[in-house]
Amino acid sequence: MVTSNGTRAKPYEAKPKGFDLRAIIRPNILELQPYRCARDDYSSGVLLDANENSLGSALPRPSGSYAPLDADSSDGMGNLHRYPDPQQNEIKARIAKLRGLRDEIGAAGIFLGVGSDEVIDMLMRVTCYPGKDSILITPPTYGMYSVCAKVNDVALVKVPLDDTFVPRLDEINAALTPAVKLVFLTSPGNPTGTLIPLQAVRQLLDHPTWHGLVVLDEAYIDFAEPEASGVTLLNEGYQNLVVMQTLSKGFGLAGIRLGCCISSRDFAQILFNTKAPYNISTPTAQLALQALEPAAIELTQRNLAQLIKARSQLITELIQLDGIGKVRGANHANFILIEILNATSRKPDNARAVLVYKTLAEDKGVVVRFRGTEPGCEGCVRITVGSPSECKTLLREMKLVLATS
């Protein structure tokens, strides 16, 4: 294999040595006979196998009329009266190409979910025994890990990030028992915006005695350098790594709810066997395919460059406001974590941060997010990088609120 910079990649070799995926998957999942969808076998012809409504939906046709479909016509919207493709191989192939996956992984190493949240839930369901196993998280981090753990009756092991918002590897290693099936790392972090060095991830993957899965959540990776992605480690052959990505953030498609999990082919197949039969809807699939066309990817890249530039400008202007402290984290995402200072002590202040947050939302119509209860985030609010007009409005109203709070 030749890499994007023209050099020849090392031969693909599964690692770490001795890793056994089957040992961390619940036996009932391994024994599962997946449900076979009507569309698994045949997807064209006179389709009378799935008990669909042959006259179509009651939605208006492209002409604006309301009429039943005849046998040879289309509703112009992907034939919504038919069940969607359960495989979605074309989407997977385009993601595999976009992310530069080696042929040994390819589209077969990708699982698609209803946002990353479905992927998170699936990871716990296939690996963790309820009431017995646990996951490890590194606060401050994404809140859905804890929610899904609670829903699945999975215990939480918490090892907070250090003062620079990177993992404390020694403490994580000390906390890794056989009961810990998954380690969730978020890179860039949420709400920290900080990338986790791949060398730190590699050290966990090479742990000599712990044999669980490392889950690298890369929802915001498009706002960072491509070489910072854990896909690099997957391409090196690590079978105990799972990388989560999404079209919600960098691609601006939060409304279609499409997340993906990139892993070994064997693990992707286990997730596919376990999922609901038609979890990705036809409208979601159609929009995702459009977003993964070359012209759309070029536009996405231009938008990303504009947002990254706006992020730097927003930081420059925010820290000039009286009452604003330091920007926390390393700013590799599309948001800023920033301190609100006490007017007297000039230290980060949760009470004033909450007041600023509520006043902005309720009186000014500008909604940011208070994050001061998260470890290491005292007095902080998280601000998404908006459009030029939204950033201008934020700065104007933030200045007024700080002057009166």
Side-chain angles (χ1 to χ4, degrees), residues 124-146:
M124 294 186 200
R125 283 198 283 142
V126 302
T127 61
C128 296
Y129 281 98
K132 176 182 176 183
D133 289 329
S134 56
I135 65 168
L136 187 147
I137 62 173
T138 56
T141 191
Y142 183 43
M144 279 303 294
Y145 310 143
S146 298

Side-chain angles (χ1 to χ4, degrees), residues 34-92:
Y35 175 80
R36 288 200 59 78
C37 307
R39 294 294 97 91
D40 276 329
D41 297 318
Y42 305 103
S43 58
S44 62
V46 179
L47 299 175
L48 303 177
D49 58 331
N51 303 332
E52 298 150 329
N53 187 331
S54 60
L55 299 183
S57 72
L59 297 174
R61 308 305 172 214
S63 64
S65 67
Y66 288 82
L69 297 180
D70 60 48
D72 299 317
S73 67
S74 167
D75 62 9
M77 294 173 283
N79 288 333
L80 298 182
H81 64 303
R82 300 296 184 192
Y83 285 109
D85 176 8
Q87 305 284 338
Q88 301 296 350
N89 287 327
E90 181 59 28
I91 296 176
K92 296 175 184 178

Side-chain angles (χ1 to χ4, degrees), residues 6 42 129 144 147 185 195 253 300 322 334 350 361 378:
Y42 305 103
Y129 281 98
M144 279 303 294
V147 171
L185 302 175
L195 280 167
L253 288 172
T300 293
D322 185 33
N334 67 330
N350 269 357
E378 183 177 1

Side-chain angles (χ1 to χ4, degrees), residues 319 324-328 337-341 380:
I319 61 177
I324 295 291
K326 294 184 298 183
V327 175
R328 305 297 310 277
L337 185 68
I338 197 160
E339 298 171 342
I340 305 295
L341 303 180
C380 288

Side-chain angles (χ1 to χ4, degrees), residues 17-338:
K17 291 184 178 180
F19 176 74
D20 181 7
L21 176 63
R22 296 178 63 88
I24 62 169
I25 304 299
R26 294 169 58 187
N28 59 305
I29 299 296
L30 292 174
E31 296 168 1
L32 179 67
Q33 294 297 316
Y35 175 80
R36 288 200 59 78
C37 307
R39 294 294 97 91
D40 276 329
D41 297 318
Y42 305 103
S43 58
S44 62
V46 179
L47 299 175
L48 303 177
D49 58 331
N51 303 332
E52 298 150 329
N53 187 331
S54 60
L55 299 183
S57 72
L59 297 174
R61 308 305 172 214
S63 64
S65 67
Y66 288 82
L69 297 180
D70 60 48
D72 299 317
S73 67
S74 167
D75 62 9
M77 294 173 283
N79 288 333
L80 298 182
H81 64 303
R82 300 296 184 192
Y83 285 109
D85 176 8
Q87 305 284 338
Q88 301 296 350
N89 287 327
E90 181 59 28
I91 296 176
K92 296 175 184 178
R94 293 189 187 188
I95 292 174
K97 181 179 179 181
L98 175 69
R99 299 311 188 190
L101 293 180
R102 294 184 63 139
D103 292 342
E104 292 88 346
I105 304 171
I110 294 176
F111 168 77
L112 300 178
V114 182
S116 295
D117 294 339
E118 182 184 24
V119 176
I120 294 167
D121 181 67
M122 291 282 291
L123 292 173
M124 294 186 200
R125 283 198 283 142
V126 302
T127 61
C128 296
Y129 281 98
K132 176 182 176 183
D133 289 329
S134 56
I135 65 168
L136 187 147
I137 62 173
T138 56
T141 191
Y142 183 43
M144 279 303 294
Y145 310 143
S146 298
V147 171
C148 285
K150 189 71 172 178
V151 169
N152 287 286
D153 194 17
V154 172
L156 282 175
V157 177
K158 299 181 181 181
V159 180
L161 300 172
D162 69 14
D163 293 340
T164 62
F165 296 134
V166 298
R168 304 175 191 264
L169 291 179
D170 290 344
E171 294 184 25
I172 291 175
N173 286 332
L176 292 177
T177 68
V180 177
K181 294 298 183 67
L182 305 169
V183 172
F184 281 91
L185 302 175
T186 312
S187 181
N190 178 12
T192 69
T194 301
L195 280 167
I196 296 175
L198 291 186
Q199 184 54 35
V201 181
R202 187 181 281 107
Q203 289 184 47
L204 290 175
L205 295 171
D206 288 331
H207 195 289
T209 59
W210 180 72
H211 304 296
L213 291 175
V214 176
V215 183
L216 196 58
D217 188 341
E218 295 186 341
Y220 299 94
I221 197 64
D222 293 309
F223 298 95
E225 301 80 9
E227 58 270 20
S229 171
V231 167
T232 299
L233 301 175
L234 287 173
N235 282 338
E236 290 179 14
Y238 281 101
Q239 307 293 292
N240 53 342
L241 174 64
V242 171
V243 174
M244 296 194 307
Q245 296 183 351
T246 179
L247 295 189
S248 293
K249 308 299 184 181
F251 279 80
L253 288 172
I256 74 170
R257 308 304 300 130
L258 185 71
C260 76
C261 170
I262 311 173
S263 64
S264 68
R265 293 185 173 198
D266 288 343
F267 189 65
Q269 185 63 53
I270 288 170
L271 294 177
F272 184 83
N273 292 348
T274 312
K275 75 173 182 70
Y278 305 105
N279 64 327
I280 305 302
S281 73
T282 295
T284 289
Q286 288 183 320
L287 293 169
L289 286 170
Q290 291 176 33
L292 293 167
E293 290 281 356
I297 292 173
E298 289 180 11
L299 176 57
T300 293
Q301 291 172 339
R302 293 199 298 272
N303 288 342
L304 290 169
Q306 182 178 341
L307 287 169
I308 290 169
K309 183 179 179 180
R311 180 181 67 197
S312 297
Q313 182 64 29
L314 185 57
I315 290 172
T316 298
E317 298 192 40
L318 275 171
I319 61 177
Q320 294 176 5
L321 299 180
D322 185 33
I324 295 291
K326 294 184 298 183
V327 175
R328 305 297 310 277
N331 302 301
H332 290 120
N334 67 330
F335 56 81
I336 298 163
L337 185 68
I338 197 160

